[in-house]
Amino acid sequence: MTTPSSAPRAPHQVLDATDVARVVTRIAHEIVERARGAEDVVLLGIHTRGVHLARRLRAKLEQITGREIPFGTLDITMYRDDLRLKPARALEHTEIPAEGIDGRLVILVDDVLFSGRTIRAALDALSDIGRPRAVQLAVMVDRGHRELPIRADYVGKNLPTSLREAVQVQLAETDGRDAVLLGDRDYAATSRSARIDHSSQALAADADPELPE
C-alpha cells in the first residue's frame, strides 16, 4: 500500500520563462568572452530542444557581436548506443552550415546533460562530418549522474537530482511555454494508474445492484 510520504512527487517549477531567457543571455556572453569574440564559432543544436536553444543562442550572439553566427542541427539517432534497447526512433535532419566545421570551434547545444551518452553520440556523429578545431558543450541544465567522462563548458543551471527524479526542459517552440520542471520520474505513470483505477471502481459501482443496508 502506498503511503502519502512515499507517493511520487509532482513536478515543480525550477526555472520560469524569465530565468530561461536570462540563462541564454548569460551563456551567450560567456561564449563571446571565452571564444575570442565568437569569431570562428559554429553552433550545432542536438534535436530536439537543443536546436531551439541553439537558435536562441545564435540570435543573442549576433546581437552581441554584430556578426552572423553559423548554425546547424545534429541528428544523433543512428549513433546512439541504446538502439537495440528502445523502439525505433524517427530520423531528424542534420544540417551543417555551408562553411562546414573544419578548423572551427563547434559548440554543441542541448537541453539536459545527464549520463553523457547523448553527447558521446553527438561527438561520433560530428567526427563523420568534419574535423573542428575544438568542440565545446552548452546545456540548459546539468543534472549530474554522469556515466561517461563528459562535462559541459557552459551550464545554465546545475541541478542536483536523484535517479528517481526527472528533469523536463519546456520551450515555447515545442511546449507552449519556457520552464524547467523537476519531479519524480514515475509520477505520471502513477497518476495515470490512479485515474484508471478510480474510473474502474466508478464503473463497477454503477454496474452492481444496490446492496441492502
Side-chain angles (χ1 to χ4, degrees):
M1 178 177 180
T2 301
T3 62
S5 61
S6 62
R9 187 168 47 119
H12 65 280
Q13 185 169 278
V14 178
L15 300 179
D16 61 17
T18 301
D19 297 323
V20 171
R22 187 181 299 115
V23 162
V24 171
T25 298
R26 173 168 58 79
I27 290 178
H29 281 282
E30 289 178 359
I31 290 173
V32 171
E33 181 179 352
R34 295 174 55 183
R36 302 175 185 176
E39 293 181 358
D40 66 342
V41 163
V42 176
L43 294 176
L44 290 184
I46 300 174
H47 285 283
T48 296
R49 288 172 179 81
V51 172
H52 302 312
L53 288 172
R55 284 198 179 99
R56 297 187 190 190
L57 271 175
R58 179 194 193 190
K60 188 60 64 174
L61 283 170
E62 290 181 345
Q63 178 183 340
I64 296 170
T65 65
R67 296 192 309 274
E68 183 176 350
I69 303 297
F71 163 84
T73 64
L74 195 62
D75 175 33
I76 64 166
T77 303
M78 300 309 298
Y79 295 87
R80 299 184 63 96
D81 60 6
D82 60 356
L83 283 176
R84 295 171 298 171
L85 306 177
K86 294 185 177 181
R89 302 166 182 263
L91 295 178
E92 302 284 356
H93 293 293
T94 290
E95 299 179 4
I96 302 302
E99 305 91 332
I101 64 172
D102 290 344
R104 309 293 292 268
L105 170 58
V106 171
I107 299 181
L108 298 173
V109 183
D110 205 4
D111 55 351
V112 179
L113 178 57
F114 185 19
S115 68
R117 294 184 180 275
T118 292
I119 305 307
R120 181 209 60 79
L123 292 172
D124 287 347
L126 203 60
S127 67
D128 284 346
I129 296 170
R131 192 176 189 278
R133 172 176 67 80
V135 181
Q136 294 180 349
L137 174 63
V139 297
M140 176 62 65
V141 175
D142 184 345
R143 61 165 298 182
H145 302 289
R146 212 75 75 242
E147 297 174 5
L148 299 173
I150 290 173
R151 67 173 180 83
D153 301 274
Y154 311 97
V155 179
K157 184 174 182 61
N158 286 291
L159 190 59
T161 64
S162 69
L163 288 174
R164 66 172 288 181
E165 291 178 312
V167 175
Q168 182 183 8
V169 173
Q170 296 183 336
L171 298 176
E173 294 89 340
T174 54
D175 309 291
R177 68 164 183 166
D178 289 347
V180 174
L181 307 179
L182 175 65
D184 284 353
R185 184 178 298 276
D186 54 355
Y187 173 79
T190 303
S191 299
R192 185 165 54 250
S193 298
R195 289 195 301 270
I196 292 173
D197 184 59
H198 178 75
S199 299
S200 299
Q201 291 177 1
L203 288 172
D206 290 340
D208 288 342
E210 289 188 359
L211 296 177
E213 293 184 356

